[in-house]
């Protein structure tokens, strides 16, 4: 079980549960074709974003296997919603987790995805006691792959045409990190402030 104390603050960000007043910020990026391009869903209208906002607001802790922790990424300098970062508790028995992130393109190039994802890796390994955390992405999403590589995650697999997404066969690439690798890298040194890329799958 993981019930973080909020907000979680990094060098430049505040990570917190979503709120009702995040609707416009959420819709601002969920409505963009370039954000949805490598994800399972199509661009969303405002009412669809409102529905998903309610789900995100309820995902502020990890109570059981299969749960997602979904945190708003707030750019602390202005209070703007920059995107979201996620952690799933995939297996209690095998202590497995998965991370994901989505960023408003207006905030690309500032290292935000890397900084936020690093904080969530820490939650997974040090807060929930996970042994292994993965990141999955569309094989065409090179920018997101670079984020996972900056975090120190290893590219473990490239699955050829393993999923039908939006009417076409797509590759899936899987990155992973073990708890021992997290500890060896100094638990978070040297990634904050590097350029961020596009979102991993959500």
């Amino acid at each position: 079980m993981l019930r973080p104390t909020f907000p979680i603050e990094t060098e430049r960000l505040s990570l917190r549960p979503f709120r009702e007043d995040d609707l416009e910020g959420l819709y601002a990026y969920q409505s963009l074709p370039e954000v949805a391009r490598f994800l399972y869903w199509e661009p969303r209208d405002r009412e669809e974003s409102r529905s998903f906002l309610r789900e995100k607001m309820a995902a502020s802790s990890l109570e059981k296997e299969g749960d997602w922790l979904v945190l708003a990424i707030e750019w602390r300098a202005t209070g703007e919603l920059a995107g979201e970062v996620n952690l799933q508790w995939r297996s209690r028995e095998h202590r497995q987790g998965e991370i994901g992130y989505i960023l408003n393109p207006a905030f690309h190039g500032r290292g935000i995805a890397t900084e936020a994802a690093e904080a969530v890796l820490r939650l997974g390994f040090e807060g929930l006691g996970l042994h292994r955390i993965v990141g999955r992405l569309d094989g065409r999403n090179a920018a997101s792959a670079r984020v996972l590589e900056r975090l120190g995650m290893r590219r473990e697999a490239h699955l050829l045409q393993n999923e039908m997404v939006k009417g076409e066969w797509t590759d899936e690439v899987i990155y992973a990190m073990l708890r021992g690798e997290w500890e060896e890298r100094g638990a978070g040194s040297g990634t904050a402030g590097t350029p961020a890329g596009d979102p991993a799958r959500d």
Side-chain angles (χ1 to χ4, degrees):
M1 181 181 298
L2 177 65
R3 295 178 179 172
T5 300
F6 299 112
I8 299 166
E9 295 198 341
T10 66
E11 182 182 357
R12 302 167 300 162
L13 310 174
S14 289
L15 307 181
R16 55 165 177 79
F18 273 86
R19 308 182 301 236
E20 288 186 4
D21 62 1
D22 287 320
L23 176 59
E24 291 306 314
L26 178 64
Y27 172 67
Y29 64 83
Q30 286 199 336
S31 61
L32 298 175
E34 61 266 39
V35 169
R37 180 185 177 196
F38 296 127
L39 303 176
Y40 294 121
W41 40 266
E42 299 288 353
R44 292 169 175 160
D45 61 29
R46 183 173 275 101
E47 287 310 306
E48 287 172 326
S49 288
R50 190 187 306 276
S51 176
F52 279 95
L53 176 60
R54 288 192 289 268
E55 293 182 13
K56 293 177 188 298
M57 289 170 59
S60 61
S61 64
L62 295 173
E63 305 290 338
K64 63 185 182 304
E65 179 180 288
D67 283 355
W68 280 95
L69 175 69
V70 182
L71 302 180
I73 303 173
E74 184 177 299
W75 183 246
R76 202 160 57 242
T78 62
E80 295 174 275
L81 179 66
E84 64 192 73
V85 63
N86 311 314
L87 173 67
Q88 185 188 31
W89 189 3
R90 293 185 62 180
S91 171
R92 176 191 293 270
E93 178 182 2
H94 304 294
R95 294 162 55 193
Q96 308 283 306
E98 179 178 341
I99 62 167
Y101 42 86
I102 304 176
L103 209 63
N104 186 323
F107 291 89
H108 284 177
R110 308 187 201 182
I112 292 173
T114 309
E115 188 172 331
E118 182 177 63
V120 169
L121 282 176
R122 181 176 292 110
L123 283 178
F125 286 125
E126 301 177 14
L128 193 56
L130 296 178
H131 171 69
R132 182 174 182 269
I133 298 176
V134 302
R136 301 182 301 118
L137 60 147
D138 188 299
R140 301 166 295 181
N141 197 346
S144 187
R146 287 194 293 272
V147 172
L148 299 177
E149 289 165 0
R150 289 187 190 106
L151 291 167
M153 300 183 79
R154 286 174 291 96
R155 182 174 171 133
E156 286 196 339
H158 186 147
L159 309 178
L160 297 178
Q161 298 186 14
N162 71 309
E163 292 184 313
M164 176 67 73
V165 180
K166 299 175 181 175
E168 63 179 323
W169 289 108
T170 61
D171 294 2
E172 182 178 23
V173 175
I174 300 173
Y175 283 78
M177 178 181 282
L178 300 176
R179 181 184 179 94
E181 293 169 326
W182 167 259
E183 294 170 348
E184 287 173 4
R185 67 186 286 279
S189 62
T191 61
T194 53
D198 291 335
R201 286 185 167 171
D202 177 42

